[in-house]
Amino acid sequence: MTEEAKNVDIVVGPANHLGYSSFQLGGFEFSRDEYFVHIKWPKGKHVMEIDRFLRAMVRDIGWGFFYGWIFFDDVFGTHNHYGTVDIFAGAYDEGCKAAGIDYLETFTSDSVSKGFETISKNWINEGYDPLNAPMETGSPMGEKTRESDKPLLRNFIAAKRMLGLKGDVAVRSDETGHPINRAFADVPVDNPDIEVEPGFEGQLHAINLFDHIARSDVTWNPSISSATRNSLCCVTSEEHMLPVIHGNDRNEWFFQLSDEIHWKVQDKNTGRPRGIIVMKAGDVCAMPADIRHQGFSPKRSMLMVMENASPDLPELYASGKLAPYPIEF
Amino acid sequence: MAVQTRFGSLGSYEKGSIELNDDLKHYAFSNMFEVASKSKPFERVAVAKNIEYVAEVTKVDGASPWYVAPHDEFAIVMDGEIEFNFVKLDPSAAPAGGQGAKQLAGAPNGQKMGKVRGRRGHQVLLPAGAAYQFVSKSPSVAVIQTLLGPVTVERWSDICTL
Ligand SMILES: [Fe+2]
């Protein structure tokens, strides 16, 4: 964050024998084969499954790098400074640091967004959508066929005040092209009853939020559903595993609305394991600012996340003026 | 195989587990139905807190007092059926500043805006400056996205798994 952020264009190399281009962004090089992505940086190399890499990358772009750290796996990821972004390899992994192969480079957010979009477009084939649950999409493996023309970021939609209000983001329905997902076939679709007195039309509002979540065709994709001042509630449907490990720069809260998710918790800076939290319907739990967490949802489930979007928080936590956990008791 | 989506309720919920090599207070792990089942009707118990922002769980059983907040609040019905009544406060009675919901001394004077009846999964806007009341025929549960205010109850040691 202290060094000058690089404002660079990604360099596109020639296509390999499978049809995929390789790329260079600053000191990082990216290439792929049928199964894996290979990442190189001045002091080291890393290999990752292509599915994991693409699932993480499209979410990272869609979230605008989200809050804090997005680990694609224990080694590679991004750290958001809201305007600039670090891409790192091994910088938060004890083993890599001990071996002296950790590396970090800071870019403008725009350089990384454009770079990651260029890679994703070139490497995502028709029939595979990294935002869908694995059981609901094709395979990312094998040689290049035809590039998918689905808009990559179609589902990252943020309500300004509340879903469904006039002029705000619409609630999902059959009409918007969002049928109920197979895993939520038993969720009631009834709507709340609203009786408005004359003169107050448009001032009262209510929606079936669970129906909205049940109609999401993507997973691990929290989108703002209601906002009061800087407090944002984001709802999402979760199935299989969160394809990133999230290290936040502030406290966030999870509300398990249905079914269950198992959260693996690690120390944020070293990756050392801290344990497991199993959240069942009705459970509420904080994710403090000094951990990284990754969710595993055996059946598609409904999750609500409460975030504090105040822009001064990362600095307050980083400087120690705020404790990394939410409540003193 | 028929799918079964599991929701919790006052009558049937199962709390998960937290097994960490860390101070469990930092995670403030609770369950909305457990909190509601141990609360008096209409107590608004904080289950999440981000500095000045909170989420409160309330058990609605009968007709609640009237409340108003200077900012939007949002209630999600987690169990049962809740009727939300709304009255437009005249601007002199509406709170100008501050944060969180405050309880009114009695039923408010003002024009009726209308009502909303919500069941499990329904999210209801409690608009800034409008007085509102919760009513239910049988014990129901709602979670409210709001700010810490005069009616917020904090009893973390009682509700959290430690
Ligand atoms: Fe997170």
Side-chain angles (χ1 to χ4, degrees):
Chain A
M1 196 166 152
T2 45
E3 65 175 300
E4 185 88 355
K6 294 189 184 78
N7 192 20
V8 291
D9 288 330
I10 194 162
V11 180
V12 185
N16 63 13
H17 68 288
L18 299 165
Y20 297 111
S21 296
S22 57
F23 300 90
Q24 190 198 330
L25 187 62
F28 288 96
E29 287 173 41
F30 302 88
S31 61
R32 76 158 281 187
D33 58 28
E34 290 190 293
Y35 286 118
F36 306 111
V37 55
H38 302 268
I39 307 173
K40 274 195 214 168
W41 59 94
K43 291 183 282 181
K45 282 181 186 177
H46 186 52
V47 61
M48 197 190 304
E49 295 157 272
I50 191 65
D51 191 25
R52 181 82 188 267
F53 179 79
L54 292 172
R55 287 179 184 283
M57 186 167 258
V58 297
R59 286 173 176 80
D60 204 14
I61 315 167
W63 289 325
F65 308 106
F66 211 45
Y67 297 111
W69 290 255
I70 296 294
F71 295 84
F72 287 35
D73 65 3
D74 285 328
V75 173
F76 181 83
T78 61
H79 179 193
N80 195 359
H81 301 292
Y82 315 98
T84 66
V85 176
D86 300 338
I87 301 181
F88 61 79
Y92 303 94
D93 179 79
E94 275 185 321
C96 290
K97 282 183 89 91
I101 57 165
D102 57 301
Y103 185 72
L104 181 153
E105 213 173 319
T106 307
F107 300 89
T108 63
S109 302
D110 201 45
S111 302
V112 184
S113 299
K114 284 192 183 138
F116 282 8
E117 270 179 54
T118 305
I119 297 173
S120 304
K121 248 193 123 16
N122 190 276
W123 289 1
I124 294 176
N125 289 319
E126 207 173 52
Y128 167 67
D129 187 334
L131 293 173
N132 289 151
M135 274 204 278
E136 297 185 333
T137 191
S139 164
M141 296 180 277
E143 63 185 348
K144 183 154 173 161
T145 55
R146 194 185 315 178
E147 281 176 21
S148 170
D149 58 1
K150 256 185 171 179
L152 273 183
L153 310 176
R154 66 193 187 284
N155 277 288
F156 295 83
I157 41 159
K160 289 186 281 294
R161 186 178 177 205
M162 180 176 167
L163 288 172
L165 279 169
K166 201 170 176 226
D168 215 323
V169 172
V171 177
R172 296 186 191 102
S173 63
D174 287 337
E175 291 69 46
T176 63
H178 296 93
I180 297 255
N181 185 271
R182 75 195 199 293
F184 290 130
D186 58 338
V187 171
V189 298
D190 63 314
N191 279 312
D193 312 306
I194 306 178
E195 294 170 29
V196 188
E197 297 294 331
F200 293 102
E201 293 82 359
Q203 294 190 36
L204 298 187
H205 181 62
I207 61 169
N208 188 334
L209 184 68
F210 288 5
D211 180 53
H212 173 80
I213 304 169
R215 292 172 184 275
S216 174
D217 62 339
V218 295
T219 55
W220 307 102
N221 180 16
S223 303
I224 300 168
S225 45
S226 55
T228 186
R229 297 194 181 158
N230 272 324
S231 182
L232 313 177
C233 279
C234 311
V235 290
T236 165
S237 61
E238 318 293 50
E239 179 174 334
H240 188 238
M241 65 198 261
L242 174 58
V244 307
I245 307 162
H246 183 211
N248 213 331
D249 57 13
R250 62 197 74 207
N251 294 299
E252 63 183 335
W253 287 86
F254 291 160
F255 296 72
Q256 190 70 40
L257 300 176
S258 86
D259 305 288
E260 69 182 62
I261 297 178
H262 300 234
W263 291 96
K264 199 160 91 181
V265 178
Q266 295 165 274
D267 180 82
K268 188 164 75 184
N269 291 314
T270 62
R272 284 186 201 161
R274 286 201 189 170
I276 295 275
I277 302 170
V278 179
M279 293 188 67
K280 300 196 175 187
D283 286 346
V284 182
C285 191
M287 294 289 129
D290 60 352
I291 62 156
R292 55 179 100 160
H293 51 270
Q294 183 179 22
F296 298 80
S297 185
K299 172 204 174 282
R300 203 178 187 92
S301 67
M302 299 188 185
L303 180 71
M304 183 167 79
V305 184
M306 193 172 96
E307 295 278 0
N308 184 345
S310 303
D312 48 341
L313 286 183
E315 177 51 31
L316 289 171
Y317 285 116
S319 65
K321 286 186 191 121
L322 270 182
Y325 47 90
I327 307 153
E328 210 72 63
F329 66 99
Chain B
M1 190 187 70
V3 293
Q4 192 189 359
T5 301
R6 290 185 186 278
F7 294 108
S9 66
L10 276 173
S12 169
Y13 65 88
E14 192 185 345
K15 199 173 180 180
S17 59
I18 176 164
E19 289 169 33
L20 297 178
N21 175 26
D22 200 353
D23 186 347
L24 296 190
K25 285 182 178 173
H26 296 181
Y27 299 79
F29 185 87
S30 70
N31 179 284
M32 294 186 262
F33 305 107
E34 184 178 75
V35 169
S37 68
K38 293 178 179 172
S39 297
K40 296 193 206 78
F42 316 119
E43 266 189 314
R44 296 171 60 145
V45 183
V47 293
K49 186 180 179 187
N50 278 331
I51 310 178
E52 73 269 42
Y53 300 108
V54 293
E56 300 163 339
V57 162
T58 190
K59 178 171 69 179
V60 179
D61 191 3
S64 79
W66 287 79
Y67 304 98
V68 67
H71 45 74
D72 288 337
E73 302 175 287
F74 304 90
I76 302 171
V77 180
M78 295 300 300
D79 187 22
E81 177 169 314
I82 301 174
E83 190 171 282
F84 299 77
N85 295 315
F86 296 91
V87 165
K88 187 81 189 173
L89 285 183
D90 73 74
S92 63
Q99 61 175 55
K102 90 174 183 191
Q103 190 178 321
L104 301 178
N109 292 316
Q111 254 183 299
K112 276 190 183 159
M113 298 173 75
K115 63 175 74 169
V116 172
R117 227 177 350 268
R119 290 163 293 279
R120 177 158 65 207
H122 295 172
Q123 187 182 31
V124 182
L125 168 66
L126 312 174
Y132 62 87
Q133 176 196 37
F134 311 115
V135 182
S136 79
K137 293 197 182 83
S138 58
S140 300
V141 181
V143 59
I144 306 162
Q145 177 190 356
T146 182
L147 276 74
L148 186 72
V151 298
T152 312
V153 175
E154 290 188 82
R155 48 165 180 260
W156 300 102
S157 305
D158 295 339
I159 67 168
C160 296
T161 301
L162 296 176

